[in-house]
Amino acid sequence: MLGPLLRRLLPLPLILLAASVVAFALPRLVGGDVTRAVLRARVASDAPDPAVTARVAAELGLDGPVAGQYLRWLGAVLRGDLGIGYVARTPVADQLGSALGVSGLLTGAALALAALVGIPAGVLAARRPGGPLDRALSAAGIAGIAVPEFVLAPWLVLVFAVGAGLFPAIGWGGPEHLVLPVLTLAAYPAALAAQLVRAETIDVLGRDHVRLARAKGLPERRVLWRHAARLALTSVTSLSGMFVAGLLGGAVVVETVFGIPGVGRLLLDAVLARDLPVLQAGTLVLVAVAVVAGMVAEVAQLALDPVAHDREADR
Amino acid sequence: MPRRRAARLVAAVAGAILLAAGCSGQGGGGGEAGADGELTVALQFPPRAAYAFDADDGARLQSLGVAETLTTVDDAVQPAPGLATSWEQTADPRTWRFVLRHGVTFHDGSPLTPDAVVTALRYIAGVTAPPRSIRGIGFTIAADGADAVRITTAAPDPVVPLRMSSGNLGILAPAAYTGGQPDVVRTGTGPYVLNTVNGTDSAVLVRNDGYWGPKAGAARVTVRYVTDPQSRALALQSGDVQFAEGLPNASLDQLRSAGVDVAEYPAARTIELLLNQSAAPFSDLRVRQAVTKAIDRPVLAAQVLGGAAAPAADLFGAAVPWGGTAPPPGADVDGAKALLAEAGYGPDRPLQVRLWTFPNRPEMPVLAGAIQSMLGRAGIGVEVTVGDYSAQEPDVLAGRFDMFLNSRSYLSDYPDATSTLTSDYTCAGSYNIDHYCSAAYDALTARLPTVTDTAERQRLFAEAARVLTADAVGVMVVHPLNTAGSRGASGFVADPLGVRPVLPPLSRTDT
């Protein structure tokens, strides 16, 4: 499996270079003066003071030609220096590292829960399509897909924090703080996984190799889980890479509602404050994670799907 | 059996969740509210730059009760003793002498000395972008004997004692200034010691038992920075926190019914519809007056914002003693139409204008939509654009706009309105968005740098506001209200000026 993975990683530097251009250019295309935006983020109601603005622009390295700024930034990144955040004035690597740790834990827990719930639910629903269990799980799945996070999160807080007093409503630190955010984040991928696995399993159960397995007298449970479900998992596996990248940087709503210091909030604040070093480095890191996660998912899919594996081996 | 395995799986997931809940040791809703004399609070604004004094984070340290300044202010917005007990303007009117309080020690045990004050204030005066309270005034400071400091400005400055109340001029122990950015952990003098800082997520304060003034109400405070207003309200309801500020207006009744003690108090802020007077149509006073008459400010405050603001009669509101508290009149659509007709606008020549605003404050687009509707009834067509403030600012400062709905604090770092009255409305003002220029107004505000008497200054502020209203510079739309709620804690004292400690008076009531 190492070969396919390495083959897929080859274009990564080019992708990152293109991403660096986009990450550098986008905040500057919005218009307005970046230095003023940074000053406003630091001191909200400040009136423009040209002398101060010029001094801060020089301090931030925003006073030269844009191409030079890009090359300086890229050079520093290649040396492993992500710079200092304009607003918090702490190293971007520290800010990003801390936020990635939080978001990584949140994403990992949410995807694990989604897999634990969604995959078995999809397989079980596929056993008897149209049966009571299938209909109940389908209804739950549709709800999981349809109810947005900004509705689900406050609802969970109202029920489990305000009503039952089981979990804290806000905060980050102990394992108790993980429960409601993870439930919120897991709902959509769990529901989607259940729907996908159900459809795939129903399809696979009708294929020749499954009929052959049944004809050989294998127990139904073995047929279902070893022969049908394993193949059905390929579609979920290929999607998991997308979910990793999406949840890592895109859990802004959940992070905001529960007061969690994750990557989504960090980048949202950076966008609003035009904190270019945080924004640029954050975008690059998330693109890298998305690309790598997608590649890992593809390779995992090869491992699960013998046909695709053989096709890859022939290349 | 699959069914049995599925049941086991569900049980395992539920068990894991309950186990996680149990790991807290506190259960759920109680959050961290456990030990006697401990508080957990949810605050609205996290530190912007690791509690840096040149990023307005000094005001946060002041609000937490961690850092203190030479002066504070009393209810009449007069300077009052802080780390300095008295002050006087010397024979040289450019110099003020501040006598320091005896027996004050920093949280690291070092004494408050003139040299310590000099170190702290020289640091903040020397940063790239010094705080507004001392920017551009030629601020210098020197020790004066064993118990005083002398502060000198380039020109005589009557408000130096008020300037010294700015949270951004907080004084930390000399040891805090040995590196780059001052270290705020255990280096203040206030009733609370900043014990641990967890980025923009939280901080822990412990009571300073050696404090020179009244002791803080709780032995320990966990400060959680929660940016979402609804989350702060839910945290208060669930008992995760005992105090929260900045509650959503829509939740106030629900919070009250849940036993939360809710306080609403004025903020020193005005939402103003700025009218570009550098070009037609708003260079015509009658058109500006027509717009003012067409907008129903009481309706905007009470109905459109659901009571989350007070209607504005002039620039200053109830947050300051010189602010107007009488409500403005409602809409006079016929009067507005008559003025527009005088100015040459009517059905045959309808007035069409652009209104710009930004979404960072959620009430702004809502107000813009309501104003569009109100002006439409008077025959003024309005095209609303909600965009990014950073992109809009160069155009509005250059006069390339018609109407701009802005939200602005009318006090700067310290409770004096000179800065706003000058930068926003004088002919040469650096933030004069509406391009208002009046020799009479400039002459009035030019008197402020020479007036020492606080009452007289406040009278001049009020007079300046009246001139702005009479000249229909813009429409002062509403003054937003601040909110705070406590359940399980008491002692909250509302501070509309935002310059006094909020946390020290709070104490736990349900333990």
Side-chain angles (χ1 to χ4, degrees):
Chain A
M1 282 299 126
L2 198 60
L5 183 62
L6 288 176
R7 256 201 307 279
R8 282 167 171 78
L9 282 174
L10 275 179
L12 185 60
L14 270 180
I15 294 171
L16 288 181
L17 188 66
S20 77
V21 174
V22 173
F24 185 86
L26 269 183
R28 287 166 170 83
L29 293 176
V30 176
D33 183 347
V34 175
T35 312
R36 279 285 301 139
V38 172
L39 268 173
R40 260 198 317 280
R42 286 186 187 172
V43 186
S45 58
D46 213 359
D49 179 335
V52 168
T53 307
R55 278 203 302 274
V56 173
E59 184 185 281
L60 301 179
L62 293 168
D63 54 347
V66 174
Q69 290 176 34
Y70 171 72
L71 290 175
R72 271 201 307 278
W73 170 68
L74 192 62
V77 169
L78 290 174
R79 293 192 303 274
D81 175 12
L82 298 182
I84 304 289
Y86 287 167
V87 178
R89 284 175 277 179
T90 54
V92 174
D94 293 354
Q95 292 184 50
L96 211 49
S98 162
L100 275 172
V102 170
S103 293
L105 182 58
L106 206 56
T107 301
L111 288 184
L113 181 63
L116 271 174
V117 175
I119 293 169
V123 175
L124 293 175
R127 281 178 67 210
R128 288 188 187 80
L133 182 65
D134 180 32
R135 270 183 279 171
L137 289 173
S138 290
I142 289 165
I145 289 169
V147 177
E149 286 170 355
F150 62 83
V151 172
L152 183 59
W155 184 82
L156 288 175
V157 170
L158 276 171
V159 173
F160 293 107
V162 177
L166 272 173
F167 305 108
I170 54 159
W172 183 255
E176 73 277 13
H177 291 116
L178 264 174
V179 179
L180 298 184
V182 164
L183 284 177
T184 310
L185 281 178
Y188 180 78
L192 195 62
Q195 299 284 317
L196 280 174
V197 169
R198 174 190 174 275
E200 288 280 323
T201 308
I202 290 170
D203 176 51
V204 174
L205 283 173
R207 289 189 195 169
D208 289 344
H209 74 280
V210 174
R211 283 202 215 103
L212 182 65
R214 278 179 176 144
K216 281 164 127 182
L218 287 176
E220 186 60 26
R221 191 174 65 187
R222 194 178 163 92
V223 170
L224 185 68
W225 291 97
R226 286 290 296 275
H227 293 269
R230 184 184 163 189
L231 211 51
L233 280 180
T234 53
S235 56
V236 179
T237 309
S238 62
L239 269 180
S240 62
M242 198 177 73
F243 273 123
V244 168
L247 289 180
L248 206 59
V252 182
V253 171
V254 169
E255 289 171 12
T256 303
V257 169
F258 293 102
I260 296 169
V263 174
R265 254 179 66 193
L266 179 74
L267 293 188
L268 178 67
D269 291 345
V271 168
L272 296 176
R274 302 275 201 99
D275 197 334
L276 300 184
V278 175
L279 202 48
Q280 290 163 185
T283 308
L284 262 189
V285 169
L286 285 183
V287 168
V289 169
V291 173
V292 172
M295 289 167 181
V296 170
E298 266 187 68
V299 173
Q301 188 187 0
L302 289 180
L304 284 169
D305 185 349
V307 178
H309 182 262
D310 292 346
R311 211 167 34 231
E312 176 74 20
D314 291 344
R315 287 173 70 184
Chain B
M1 303 294 283
R3 194 171 297 169
R4 200 176 301 159
R5 289 184 65 172
R8 264 188 246 143
L9 183 69
V10 170
V13 171
I17 290 171
L18 291 172
L19 183 65
C23 287
S24 70
Q26 297 277 347
E32 297 178 21
D36 184 41
E38 292 191 13
L39 279 172
T40 303
V41 302
L43 301 187
Q44 191 171 1
F45 300 110
R48 286 196 177 108
Y51 299 98
F53 284 108
D54 59 335
D56 273 355
D57 284 349
R60 283 159 184 75
L61 290 172
Q62 191 179 44
S63 170
L64 298 178
V66 169
E68 294 181 301
T69 47
L70 287 180
T71 62
T72 180
V73 289
D74 61 18
D75 290 340
V77 197
Q78 307 252 19
L83 291 178
T85 51
S86 63
W87 47 88
E88 60 177 358
Q89 209 162 7
T90 64
D92 174 359
R94 297 174 307 151
T95 300
W96 287 78
R97 184 173 190 272
F98 290 80
V99 177
L100 303 184
R101 189 177 292 280
H102 287 289
V104 176
T105 54
F106 291 102
H107 297 155
D108 66 358
S110 60
L112 176 77
T113 62
D115 284 341
V117 175
V118 169
T119 301
L121 294 184
R122 275 190 186 159
Y123 161 78
I124 193 64
V127 299
T128 310
R132 290 150 295 195
S133 48
I134 54 169
R135 187 186 303 165
I137 60 169
F139 175 91
T140 59
I141 183 168
D144 184 10
D147 66 347
V149 293
R150 295 168 80 85
I151 290 174
T152 303
T153 52
D157 189 327
V159 289
V160 167
L162 265 184
R163 290 180 189 275
M164 291 303 113
S165 69
S166 162
N168 292 324
L169 304 182
I171 291 158
L172 303 179
Y177 299 94
T178 49
Q181 186 166 315
D183 181 3
V184 294
V185 176
R186 291 182 286 278
T187 54
T189 56
Y192 277 122
V193 180
L194 184 58
N195 202 45
T196 50
V197 171
N198 185 16
T200 55
D201 184 41
S202 62
V204 175
L205 315 175
V206 294
R207 182 161 52 206
N208 173 13
D209 289 320
Y211 184 56
W212 58 267
K215 303 290 183 285
R220 181 185 162 94
V221 181
T222 300
V223 178
R224 289 199 179 282
Y225 295 107
V226 183
T227 52
D228 181 50
Q230 194 61 46
S231 300
R232 291 192 294 274
L234 289 171
L236 198 54
Q237 267 185 279
S238 69
D240 274 13
V241 302
Q242 292 79 51
F243 172 80
E245 59 177 18
L247 301 168
N249 194 257
S251 303
L252 295 185
D253 288 339
Q254 192 187 349
L255 287 166
R256 285 191 182 101
S257 66
V260 174
D261 188 8
V262 175
E264 291 179 89
Y265 55 101
R269 177 171 286 280
T270 304
I271 295 179
E272 181 182 3
L273 183 65
L274 297 156
L275 306 172
N276 179 12
Q277 287 151 61
S278 68
F282 296 119
S283 51
D284 187 329
L285 174 65
R286 293 167 299 186
V287 180
R288 302 201 299 271
Q289 287 171 331
V291 168
T292 308
K293 279 183 183 292
I295 295 176
D296 198 326
R297 287 168 279 180
V299 166
L300 291 177
Q303 292 174 27
V304 176
L305 296 185
D314 71 18
L315 174 61
F316 303 116
V320 289
W322 63 87
T325 51
D332 175 6
V333 177
D334 291 338
K337 283 180 176 172
L339 281 164
L340 286 172
E342 266 184 50
Y345 296 102
D348 297 335
R349 189 187 169 216
L351 178 57
Q352 185 72 33
V353 291
R354 298 163 297 166
L355 192 167
W356 294 355
T357 193
F358 47 90
N360 307 47
R361 292 179 176 272
E363 67 272 25
M364 304 299 277
V366 176
L367 282 172
I371 288 170
Q372 179 188 38
S373 166
M374 288 174 175
L375 293 181
R377 281 200 287 272
I380 303 174
V382 179
E383 180 193 323
V384 174
T385 302
V386 179
D388 176 57
Y389 177 87
S390 297
Q392 293 167 338
E393 191 185 62
D395 282 334
V396 294
L397 285 175
R400 293 188 291 267
F401 76 107
D402 295 326
M403 302 197 291
F404 185 61
L405 190 66
N406 198 14
S407 176
R408 181 118 165 102
S409 165
Y410 51 73
L411 300 178
S412 51
D413 282 8
Y414 58 104
D416 187 90
T418 309
S419 169
T420 300
L421 289 173
T422 306
S423 67
D424 291 23
Y425 302 104
T426 58
C427 297
S430 60
Y431 199 63
N432 186 352
I433 290 178
D434 43 31
H435 294 75
Y436 168 67
C437 186
S438 156
Y441 176 84
D442 281 11
L444 177 68
T445 52
R447 288 166 57 195
L448 284 166
T450 61
V451 178
T452 311
D453 179 60
T454 308
E456 174 60 10
R457 293 182 68 78
Q458 295 183 359
R459 195 192 64 73
L460 283 175
F461 296 154
E463 194 179 331
R466 276 194 295 275
V467 172
L468 295 176
T469 303
D471 287 350
V473 169
V475 185
M476 309 301 168
V477 181
V478 292
H479 300 299
L481 297 176
N482 280 333
T483 52
S486 46
R487 192 174 75 165
S490 64
F492 172 69
V493 181
D495 177 26
L497 303 173
V499 295
R500 285 175 286 207
V502 171
L503 297 189
L506 294 174
S507 57
R508 189 76 187 251
T509 55
D510 64 353
T511 52

Coordinates of all heavy atoms in Angstrom, one line a residue, chain A residues 41-78:
Chain A
A41 N -8.8 45.7 14.5 CA -8.9 44.4 15.2 C -8.2 44.5 16.6 O -8.7 44.0 17.6 CB -8.4 43.3 14.4
R42 N -7.1 45.3 16.6 CA -6.4 45.4 17.9 C -7.2 46.5 18.8 O -7.3 46.3 20.0 CB -5.0 45.9 17.6 CG -4.1 44.9 17.1 CD -2.7 45.4 17.1 NE -1.7 44.6 16.4 CZ -0.5 44.9 16.1 NH1 -0.1 46.1 16.4 NH2 0.3 44.1 15.5
V43 N -7.5 47.6 18.2 CA -8.2 48.7 18.9 C -9.4 49.1 18.2 O -9.4 49.8 17.2 CB -7.2 49.9 19.0 CG1 -7.7 50.9 19.9 CG2 -5.8 49.4 19.5
A44 N -10.6 48.6 18.6 CA -11.8 48.6 17.9 C -12.2 50.0 17.3 O -12.5 50.1 16.1 CB -12.9 48.0 18.7
S45 N -12.3 51.0 18.1 CA -12.9 52.2 17.7 C -11.8 53.3 17.4 O -12.0 54.5 17.6 CB -13.8 52.8 18.7 OG -13.1 52.9 19.9
D46 N -10.7 52.9 16.9 CA -9.6 53.8 16.6 C -9.9 54.6 15.3 O -10.3 54.0 14.3 CB -8.3 53.0 16.4 CG -7.1 53.8 16.9 OD1 -7.3 55.0 17.4 OD2 -6.0 53.3 16.9
A47 N -9.7 55.9 15.4 CA -9.8 56.7 14.1 C -8.4 56.5 13.4 O -7.4 56.4 14.0 CB -10.0 58.1 14.5
P48 N -8.4 56.6 12.1 CA -7.2 56.4 11.3 C -6.2 57.5 11.7 O -6.5 58.7 11.7 CB -7.6 56.5 9.9 CG -9.1 56.5 9.9 CD -9.6 56.9 11.2
D49 N -5.0 57.0 12.0 CA -3.9 58.0 12.2 C -2.7 57.6 11.3 O -2.1 56.5 11.4 CB -3.4 57.8 13.7 CG -2.3 58.7 14.1 OD1 -1.5 59.1 13.1 OD2 -2.1 59.0 15.2
P50 N -2.5 58.4 10.2 CA -1.6 58.0 9.2 C -0.2 57.6 9.7 O 0.4 56.7 9.2 CB -1.5 59.2 8.3 CG -2.8 60.0 8.5 CD -3.1 59.7 10.0
A51 N 0.3 58.4 10.7 CA 1.6 58.1 11.2 C 1.7 56.7 11.9 O 2.6 55.9 11.6 CB 2.0 59.2 12.2
V52 N 0.7 56.4 12.7 CA 0.6 55.1 13.4 C 0.4 54.0 12.3 O 1.1 53.0 12.4 CB -0.5 55.1 14.4 CG1 -0.8 53.7 14.9 CG2 -0.2 56.0 15.6
T53 N -0.5 54.2 11.4 CA -0.7 53.2 10.3 C 0.6 52.9 9.6 O 0.9 51.7 9.3 CB -1.8 53.7 9.4 OG1 -2.9 54.1 10.1 CG2 -2.2 52.6 8.4
A54 N 1.3 53.9 9.2 CA 2.6 53.7 8.5 C 3.6 52.9 9.3 O 4.2 52.0 8.8 CB 3.2 55.0 8.1
R55 N 3.7 53.3 10.6 CA 4.6 52.5 11.5 C 4.2 51.1 11.6 O 5.1 50.2 11.6 CB 4.6 53.2 12.9 CG 5.5 54.4 13.0 CD 6.0 54.7 14.4 NE 4.9 54.8 15.4 CZ 4.3 56.0 15.6 NH1 4.7 57.1 15.0 NH2 3.3 56.1 16.5
V56 N 2.9 50.8 11.8 CA 2.4 49.4 12.0 C 2.6 48.7 10.7 O 3.0 47.5 10.7 CB 1.0 49.4 12.5 CG1 0.4 48.0 12.5 CG2 0.9 50.0 13.9
A57 N 2.4 49.3 9.5 CA 2.6 48.7 8.2 C 4.0 48.2 8.1 O 4.3 47.1 7.6 CB 2.2 49.6 7.1
A58 N 5.0 49.1 8.5 CA 6.4 48.7 8.4 C 6.7 47.6 9.3 O 7.4 46.6 9.0 CB 7.2 50.0 8.7
E59 N 6.1 47.6 10.5 CA 6.4 46.6 11.5 C 5.8 45.2 11.0 O 6.4 44.2 11.3 CB 5.6 47.0 12.8 CG 5.9 46.0 14.0 CD 5.0 46.5 15.2 OE1 5.4 47.4 15.9 OE2 4.0 45.9 15.4
L60 N 4.7 45.3 10.3 CA 4.1 44.0 9.8 C 4.7 43.5 8.5 O 4.3 42.5 8.0 CB 2.6 44.2 9.7 CG 1.8 44.6 11.0 CD1 0.3 44.7 10.6 CD2 2.0 43.5 12.0
G61 N 5.5 44.4 7.9 CA 6.1 44.0 6.6 C 5.1 44.2 5.5 O 5.2 43.5 4.5
L62 N 4.2 45.1 5.6 CA 3.1 45.3 4.6 C 3.4 46.5 3.8 O 2.5 47.0 3.1 CB 1.8 45.4 5.3 CG 1.2 44.2 6.0 CD1 0.0 44.5 6.8 CD2 0.8 43.1 4.9
D63 N 4.6 47.0 3.9 CA 4.9 48.3 3.2 C 5.7 48.2 1.9 O 5.9 49.2 1.3 CB 5.7 49.2 4.2 CG 6.9 48.6 4.7 OD1 7.1 47.3 4.5 OD2 7.8 49.3 5.3
G64 N 6.0 47.0 1.5 CA 6.7 46.8 0.2 C 5.8 46.3 -0.9 O 4.6 46.1 -0.7
P65 N 6.4 46.0 -2.1 CA 5.6 45.4 -3.2 C 5.0 44.0 -2.8 O 5.6 43.3 -2.0 CB 6.6 45.2 -4.3 CG 7.8 46.1 -3.9 CD 7.8 46.2 -2.4
V66 N 3.8 43.8 -3.3 CA 3.1 42.5 -2.9 C 3.9 41.3 -3.3 O 4.0 40.3 -2.5 CB 1.7 42.5 -3.6 CG1 1.0 41.2 -3.3 CG2 0.8 43.7 -3.0
A67 N 4.5 41.3 -4.5 CA 5.3 40.1 -4.9 C 6.4 39.8 -3.9 O 6.7 38.7 -3.5 CB 5.8 40.4 -6.3
G68 N 7.1 40.9 -3.5 CA 8.1 40.7 -2.5 C 7.6 40.2 -1.2 O 8.2 39.3 -0.5
Q69 N 6.4 40.7 -0.8 CA 5.8 40.2 0.5 C 5.6 38.7 0.4 O 5.8 37.9 1.3 CB 4.5 40.9 0.8 CG 4.6 42.3 1.2 CD 3.3 43.0 1.3 OE1 2.3 42.4 1.7 NE2 3.2 44.3 1.0
Y70 N 5.0 38.2 -0.8 CA 4.7 36.8 -1.0 C 6.0 36.0 -1.0 O 6.0 34.9 -0.3 CB 4.0 36.6 -2.4 CG 3.9 35.2 -2.7 CD1 2.9 34.4 -2.1 CD2 4.6 34.6 -3.7 CE1 2.8 33.0 -2.4 CE2 4.5 33.2 -4.1 CZ 3.6 32.5 -3.4 OH 3.5 31.1 -3.7
L71 N 7.0 36.4 -1.7 CA 8.3 35.6 -1.7 C 8.9 35.6 -0.3 O 9.4 34.5 0.1 CB 9.2 36.3 -2.7 CG 8.8 36.1 -4.2 CD1 9.8 36.8 -5.1 CD2 8.7 34.6 -4.6
R72 N 8.8 36.7 0.4 CA 9.4 36.6 1.8 C 8.6 35.6 2.7 O 9.2 34.9 3.4 CB 9.3 38.0 2.5 CG 10.5 38.9 2.2 CD 10.6 40.0 3.2 NE 9.4 40.8 3.4 CZ 9.0 41.8 2.5 NH1 9.8 42.2 1.6 NH2 7.9 42.5 2.7
W73 N 7.3 35.7 2.5 CA 6.4 34.8 3.3 C 6.7 33.3 3.0 O 6.9 32.5 3.8 CB 5.0 35.1 3.1 CG 4.0 34.1 3.7 CD1 3.8 33.8 5.1 CD2 3.2 33.2 3.0 NE1 2.9 32.8 5.2 CE2 2.5 32.4 4.0 CE3 2.9 33.0 1.7 CZ2 1.6 31.4 3.6 CZ3 2.0 32.0 1.3 CH2 1.4 31.2 2.3
L74 N 6.8 33.0 1.6 CA 7.0 31.7 1.1 C 8.3 31.1 1.6 O 8.4 30.0 2.1 CB 6.9 31.6 -0.4 CG 6.8 30.2 -1.0 CD1 5.5 29.5 -0.5 CD2 6.8 30.3 -2.5
G75 N 9.3 32.0 1.5 CA 10.7 31.6 2.0 C 10.6 31.3 3.5 O 11.2 30.2 3.9
A76 N 10.0 32.1 4.2 CA 9.9 31.8 5.7 C 9.2 30.5 5.9 O 9.6 29.7 6.8 CB 9.2 32.9 6.4
V77 N 8.1 30.3 5.2 CA 7.3 29.0 5.4 C 8.2 27.8 5.1 O 8.2 26.8 5.8 CB 6.0 29.0 4.5 CG1 5.4 27.7 4.5 CG2 5.0 30.1 5.1
L78 N 9.0 27.9 4.0 CA 9.8 26.8 3.6 C 10.9 26.5 4.7 O 11.3 25.4 4.8 CB 10.5 27.1 2.2 CG 9.5 27.1 1.0 CD1 10.2 27.5 -0.2 CD2 8.9 25.7 0.8

